[in-house]
Amino acid sequence: GEDRYETATIIAEAGWETSDTVVVADGLDEISLDAVEETAIELGAPIIYTHGDDVPVEVEHAVDEIGASEATVITCIVIHYHL
């Protein structure tokens, strides 16, 4: 694909004819990549990347094609405290 979003959707559509669940992660959140991969393997589900809170059209299409009705969302939340 042209970028990680398109590549992930191509892999999802080619690797899964159907899947009840997809693993969703922000494609720019490199801190969570290990958790994303581990969760996808554990669930036997494809990984779908968003761009922050924007869901690219090809991602929506891939989820529809796969027929997923559930999503496991992996995110990294960083909290800064002033001590």
Side-chain angles (χ1 to χ4, degrees):
E2 290 185 27
D3 54 31
R4 68 181 68 190
Y5 310 100
E6 185 177 348
T7 300
T9 58
I10 290 169
I11 292 169
E13 290 176 332
W16 285 264
E17 191 171 309
T18 63
S19 179
D20 293 334
T21 304
V22 292
V23 177
V24 180
D26 183 342
L28 299 177
D29 179 8
E30 297 194 15
I31 294 172
S32 298
L33 290 180
D34 287 339
V36 171
E37 183 178 320
E38 290 172 14
T39 302
I41 290 169
E42 181 179 310
L43 296 175
I47 298 169
I48 299 292
Y49 289 120
T50 62
H51 190 280
D53 61 356
D54 178 46
V55 180
V57 173
E58 61 267 18
V59 170
E60 290 180 23
H61 178 73
V63 172
D64 288 343
E65 287 292 312
I66 294 167
S69 59
E70 296 181 6
T72 298
V73 180
I74 307 293
T75 184
C76 174
I77 299 172
V78 178
I79 300 172
H80 296 276
Y81 290 99
H82 288 280
L83 303 175

